[in-house]
Amino acid sequence: MVKNSSKWIFTTSHKPNKKQIEKALQLANKYGGMYLDRNKLRMNEGNFYFVIDKKLSLNFQWEDGKLFFHPSVSKIRLNNYLKNGIDYLINAVSPQKNDIILDLTLGLGSDALLLSYFCDKVVGLEASFPIYAVVVENITNYDYKENWMREASKKIEIINSDYKIFLNEQKEENYDVVYCDPMFENPQYKSSSINPLRKFARYDKITREDLEKMIKIAKKKVVIKARSNDSVWDLYNFDKKIGSKKSGVFFGVIEK
């Protein structure tokens, strides 16, 4: 996992235009980082840096990889749900029009995009600064082909915070639904959308105390996503488990 840096490097793609340089400088200042001319960047093992590309999008790069924002399969999932009423996340959360949903583990935000189609607002937490910065700087500026995704992205508030700390600061029943999708304890590495996040993600396990705090700040329910052999299932007697035996991924529901 990449540790927090007091001086994140912000640069541009090769042969940048004026707008790229201006945006890289602006973001370096915004996040207390350091702007570096691309020609002066020395790539080596352990060298991580933010890049403003030709489309003025913010990516996070390293020697042999890149992390960038994309809506993943949100479009396909919504289309499938509208056709057959089946999406395990939506079926577990049952989002309503006026709901405010807390997503404790935002990642690239594909679940938040899907949920915000149905509800009033999603507050998404992301503890990893590289993931947070890439998503918060791109999610409302992405070139969506679907209008619903563009509108849904505007209903997502993103906070750079560790949920274990954030939970301590919240009032009782402050959110309608609390959703948590931590990194699986027993992952499969087939997901091309998740693999780039693995280097930067947090791997803290959910504890019984975490669950109790989630229940306290939720009005309606708490939903946890985990693989069938993850330890979270031993912590609490969930009211429902919704998911696929084939994939081994389930959504545990605790009703209030």
Coordinates of all heavy atoms in Angstrom, one line a residue, residues 65-108:
G65 N 2.1 1.4 -14.2 CA 0.7 1.3 -14.1 C 0.0 2.7 -13.9 O 0.7 3.7 -13.8
K66 N -1.3 2.7 -14.0 CA -2.0 4.0 -13.9 C -3.4 3.8 -13.3 O -4.1 2.8 -13.5 CB -2.2 4.6 -15.3 CG -3.0 5.9 -15.4 CD -2.9 6.5 -16.7 CE -3.7 5.8 -17.8 NZ -3.7 6.7 -19.0
L67 N -3.8 4.7 -12.4 CA -5.1 4.7 -11.8 C -5.9 5.9 -12.3 O -5.4 7.0 -12.3 CB -5.0 4.8 -10.3 CG -6.3 4.9 -9.5 CD1 -7.0 3.6 -9.5 CD2 -6.0 5.3 -8.0
F68 N -7.0 5.6 -12.9 CA -7.8 6.7 -13.5 C -9.3 6.4 -13.2 O -9.7 5.3 -13.0 CB -7.6 6.8 -15.0 CG -7.9 5.5 -15.8 CD1 -9.1 5.3 -16.4 CD2 -6.9 4.5 -15.9 CE1 -9.4 4.1 -17.1 CE2 -7.2 3.3 -16.6 CZ -8.5 3.1 -17.2
F69 N -10.1 7.5 -13.3 CA -11.5 7.4 -13.0 C -12.3 6.8 -14.2 O -12.0 7.2 -15.3 CB -12.1 8.7 -12.6 CG -13.6 8.6 -12.4 CD1 -14.2 8.1 -11.3 CD2 -14.5 9.1 -13.5 CE1 -15.6 7.9 -11.2 CE2 -15.9 8.9 -13.3 CZ -16.4 8.4 -12.2
H70 N -13.2 5.9 -13.9 CA -14.1 5.4 -14.9 C -15.4 4.9 -14.2 O -15.2 4.4 -13.0 CB -13.5 4.3 -15.8 CG -13.0 3.1 -15.0 ND1 -13.8 2.1 -14.7 CD2 -11.8 2.9 -14.5 CE1 -13.1 1.2 -14.0 NE2 -11.9 1.7 -13.8
P71 N -16.5 4.9 -14.8 CA -17.8 4.5 -14.1 C -18.0 3.0 -14.0 O -19.0 2.5 -13.6 CB -18.9 5.2 -14.9 CG -18.3 5.3 -16.2 CD -16.8 5.6 -16.1
S72 N -17.0 2.2 -14.5 CA -17.0 0.8 -14.5 C -18.3 0.3 -15.1 O -18.7 0.7 -16.2 CB -16.9 0.3 -13.0 OG -16.8 -1.1 -13.0
V73 N -19.0 -0.6 -14.5 CA -20.2 -1.3 -15.1 C -21.5 -0.7 -14.6 O -22.6 -1.3 -14.6 CB -20.2 -2.8 -14.9 CG1 -19.1 -3.4 -15.6 CG2 -20.1 -3.2 -13.4
S74 N -21.5 0.5 -14.1 CA -22.7 1.2 -13.5 C -23.8 1.2 -14.5 O -25.0 0.9 -14.2 CB -22.4 2.6 -13.1 OG -21.4 2.6 -12.1
K75 N -23.5 1.6 -15.8 CA -24.5 1.6 -16.8 C -25.2 0.3 -17.1 O -26.4 0.2 -17.1 CB -23.9 2.1 -18.1 CG -24.8 2.1 -19.3 CD -24.1 2.5 -20.6 CE -25.0 2.3 -21.8 NZ -24.3 2.7 -23.0
I76 N -24.4 -0.8 -17.2 CA -24.9 -2.1 -17.4 C -25.7 -2.6 -16.3 O -26.8 -3.2 -16.4 CB -23.7 -3.1 -17.7 CG1 -23.0 -2.7 -18.9 CG2 -24.2 -4.5 -17.7 CD1 -21.7 -3.5 -19.1
R77 N -25.3 -2.3 -15.1 CA -26.0 -2.7 -13.9 C -27.4 -2.1 -13.8 O -28.4 -2.7 -13.5 CB -25.2 -2.4 -12.6 CG -24.0 -3.4 -12.5 CD -23.2 -3.0 -11.3 NE -23.9 -3.1 -10.0 CZ -23.4 -2.7 -8.8 NH1 -22.2 -2.1 -8.8 NH2 -24.1 -2.9 -7.7
L78 N -27.4 -0.7 -14.1 CA -28.7 -0.1 -14.0 C -29.7 -0.6 -15.1 O -30.8 -0.8 -14.8 CB -28.6 1.4 -14.2 CG -29.9 2.2 -14.1 CD1 -30.6 2.1 -12.8 CD2 -29.7 3.7 -14.4
N79 N -29.1 -0.8 -16.3 CA -30.0 -1.3 -17.4 C -30.5 -2.7 -17.0 O -31.7 -2.9 -17.3 CB -29.2 -1.4 -18.7 CG -28.9 0.0 -19.3 OD1 -29.5 1.0 -18.9 ND2 -27.9 0.1 -20.2
N80 N -29.7 -3.5 -16.4 CA -30.2 -4.8 -16.0 C -31.2 -4.7 -15.0 O -32.2 -5.5 -15.0 CB -29.0 -5.7 -15.5 CG -28.1 -6.1 -16.6 OD1 -28.5 -6.1 -17.8 ND2 -26.9 -6.5 -16.3
Y81 N -31.0 -3.8 -14.0 CA -32.0 -3.7 -12.9 C -33.3 -3.2 -13.4 O -34.4 -3.7 -13.0 CB -31.4 -2.7 -11.8 CG -32.4 -2.5 -10.7 CD1 -32.6 -3.5 -9.7 CD2 -33.3 -1.4 -10.7 CE1 -33.5 -3.3 -8.7 CE2 -34.2 -1.2 -9.7 CZ -34.3 -2.2 -8.7 OH -35.2 -2.0 -7.7
L82 N -33.3 -2.2 -14.3 CA -34.5 -1.7 -14.8 C -35.3 -2.7 -15.7 O -36.5 -2.6 -15.8 CB -34.3 -0.4 -15.7 CG -33.7 0.8 -14.9 CD1 -33.4 1.9 -15.8 CD2 -34.7 1.2 -13.8
K83 N -34.6 -3.7 -16.3 CA -35.2 -4.7 -17.1 C -35.8 -5.8 -16.2 O -36.9 -6.3 -16.4 CB -34.2 -5.3 -18.1 CG -33.9 -4.4 -19.2 CD -32.9 -5.1 -20.2 CE -32.5 -4.2 -21.3 NZ -31.5 -4.8 -22.2
N84 N -35.0 -6.3 -15.2 CA -35.4 -7.5 -14.5 C -35.5 -7.3 -13.0 O -35.9 -8.3 -12.3 CB -34.5 -8.7 -14.8 CG -33.0 -8.4 -14.5 OD1 -32.7 -7.7 -13.5 ND2 -32.1 -8.9 -15.3
G85 N -35.2 -6.1 -12.5 CA -35.3 -5.9 -11.1 C -34.3 -6.5 -10.2 O -34.5 -6.6 -9.0
I86 N -33.2 -6.9 -10.8 CA -32.2 -7.7 -10.0 C -30.8 -6.9 -10.1 O -30.2 -6.7 -11.2 CB -32.0 -9.1 -10.6 CG1 -33.3 -9.9 -10.4 CG2 -30.8 -9.8 -9.8 CD1 -33.2 -11.3 -11.0
D87 N -30.4 -6.5 -9.0 CA -29.0 -6.0 -8.7 C -28.9 -6.2 -7.2 O -29.6 -5.7 -6.4 CB -28.8 -4.6 -9.1 CG -27.3 -4.2 -8.8 OD1 -27.0 -3.7 -7.7 OD2 -26.5 -4.3 -9.7
Y88 N -27.9 -7.0 -6.8 CA -27.8 -7.4 -5.4 C -27.6 -6.2 -4.5 O -28.1 -6.2 -3.4 CB -26.7 -8.4 -5.2 CG -27.0 -9.7 -5.9 CD1 -26.0 -10.3 -6.8 CD2 -28.2 -10.4 -5.8 CE1 -26.2 -11.5 -7.5 CE2 -28.4 -11.6 -6.4 CZ -27.5 -12.2 -7.3 OH -27.7 -13.3 -7.9
L89 N -26.8 -5.2 -4.9 CA -26.6 -4.0 -4.1 C -28.0 -3.3 -4.0 O -28.4 -2.9 -2.8 CB -25.6 -3.1 -4.7 CG -25.5 -1.7 -4.1 CD1 -25.0 -1.8 -2.7 CD2 -24.5 -0.9 -4.9
I90 N -28.6 -3.0 -5.1 CA -29.9 -2.3 -5.0 C -30.9 -3.0 -4.2 O -31.7 -2.5 -3.4 CB -30.4 -2.0 -6.4 CG1 -29.4 -1.1 -7.2 CG2 -31.8 -1.2 -6.4 CD1 -29.0 0.2 -6.5
N91 N -31.0 -4.4 -4.4 CA -32.0 -5.2 -3.7 C -31.7 -5.2 -2.2 O -32.6 -5.2 -1.4 CB -31.9 -6.6 -4.2 CG -32.4 -6.8 -5.6 OD1 -31.9 -7.6 -6.4 ND2 -33.3 -5.9 -6.1
A92 N -30.4 -5.1 -1.8 CA -30.1 -5.0 -0.4 C -30.3 -3.7 0.2 O -30.8 -3.6 1.3 CB -28.6 -5.4 -0.2
V93 N -29.9 -2.6 -0.5 CA -30.1 -1.3 0.1 C -31.5 -0.7 0.0 O -32.0 0.0 0.9 CB -29.1 -0.3 -0.7 CG1 -29.3 1.2 -0.3 CG2 -27.7 -0.7 -0.4
S94 N -32.2 -1.1 -1.1 CA -33.6 -0.6 -1.4 C -33.6 0.9 -1.3 O -34.4 1.5 -0.5 CB -34.6 -1.2 -0.4 OG -34.6 -2.6 -0.5
P95 N -32.8 1.6 -2.0 CA -32.7 3.1 -1.9 C -34.0 3.8 -2.3 O -34.7 3.4 -3.3 CB -31.6 3.5 -2.9 CG -31.6 2.3 -3.9 CD -31.9 1.1 -3.1
Q96 N -34.4 4.8 -1.5 CA -35.6 5.6 -1.8 C -35.3 7.0 -2.2 O -34.2 7.5 -1.9 CB -36.5 5.6 -0.5 CG -36.9 4.2 0.0 CD -37.6 3.4 -1.0 OE1 -38.7 3.8 -1.5 NE2 -37.2 2.2 -1.3
K97 N -36.2 7.7 -2.8 CA -36.0 9.0 -3.4 C -35.3 10.0 -2.5 O -34.4 10.7 -2.8 CB -37.3 9.5 -4.0 CG -37.1 10.8 -4.7 CD -38.5 11.3 -5.3 CE -38.3 12.6 -6.0 NZ -39.6 13.1 -6.5
N98 N -35.8 10.0 -1.2 CA -35.3 11.1 -0.3 C -34.2 10.6 0.6 O -33.8 11.3 1.5 CB -36.5 11.6 0.6 CG -37.5 12.3 -0.3 OD1 -37.2 13.0 -1.2 ND2 -38.8 12.1 0.1
D99 N -33.7 9.4 0.4 CA -32.6 8.9 1.2 C -31.3 9.6 1.1 O -30.9 10.1 0.0 CB -32.4 7.4 0.9 CG -33.4 6.4 1.5 OD1 -34.2 6.9 2.3 OD2 -33.4 5.3 1.1
I100 N -30.6 9.7 2.2 CA -29.2 10.1 2.2 C -28.4 8.8 2.6 O -28.6 8.3 3.7 CB -28.9 11.2 3.2 CG1 -29.7 12.5 2.7 CG2 -27.4 11.5 3.2 CD1 -29.5 13.7 3.7
I101 N -27.5 8.3 1.7 CA -26.8 7.1 2.0 C -25.3 7.4 2.2 O -24.7 8.2 1.5 CB -27.0 6.2 0.7 CG1 -28.4 5.8 0.5 CG2 -26.1 4.9 0.9 CD1 -28.7 5.0 -0.7
L102 N -24.8 6.7 3.2 CA -23.4 6.9 3.5 C -22.6 5.7 3.0 O -22.9 4.5 3.4 CB -23.2 7.0 5.0 CG -21.7 7.0 5.5 CD1 -21.0 8.3 5.0 CD2 -21.7 7.0 7.1
D103 N -21.7 5.9 2.0 CA -20.9 4.8 1.5 C -19.5 5.0 2.1 O -18.8 5.9 1.8 CB -20.8 5.0 -0.1 CG -20.0 3.9 -0.7 OD1 -19.3 3.2 0.0 OD2 -20.0 3.9 -2.0
L104 N -19.2 4.1 3.0 CA -18.0 4.2 3.8 C -16.7 3.9 3.1 O -15.6 4.2 3.5 CB -18.1 3.3 5.0 CG -19.2 3.6 6.1 CD1 -19.2 2.5 7.1 CD2 -18.9 5.0 6.7
T105 N -16.8 3.2 1.9 CA -15.6 2.8 1.2 C -15.9 3.1 -0.3 O -16.2 2.2 -1.1 CB -15.4 1.3 1.4 OG1 -16.6 0.6 1.3 CG2 -14.8 1.0 2.8
L106 N -15.7 4.3 -0.7 CA -16.1 4.7 -2.0 C -15.4 4.1 -3.2 O -16.0 3.7 -4.2 CB -15.9 6.3 -2.1 CG -16.3 6.9 -3.5 CD1 -17.8 7.0 -3.5 CD2 -15.7 8.3 -3.6
G107 N -14.1 3.9 -3.1 CA -13.3 3.4 -4.2 C -13.4 4.3 -5.4 O -13.4 5.5 -5.2
L108 N -13.7 3.8 -6.6 CA -13.8 4.6 -7.8 C -15.3 5.1 -7.9 O -15.6 5.8 -8.9 CB -13.4 3.8 -9.0 CG -11.9 3.6 -9.2 CD1 -11.6 2.8 -10.5 CD2 -11.2 4.9 -9.2

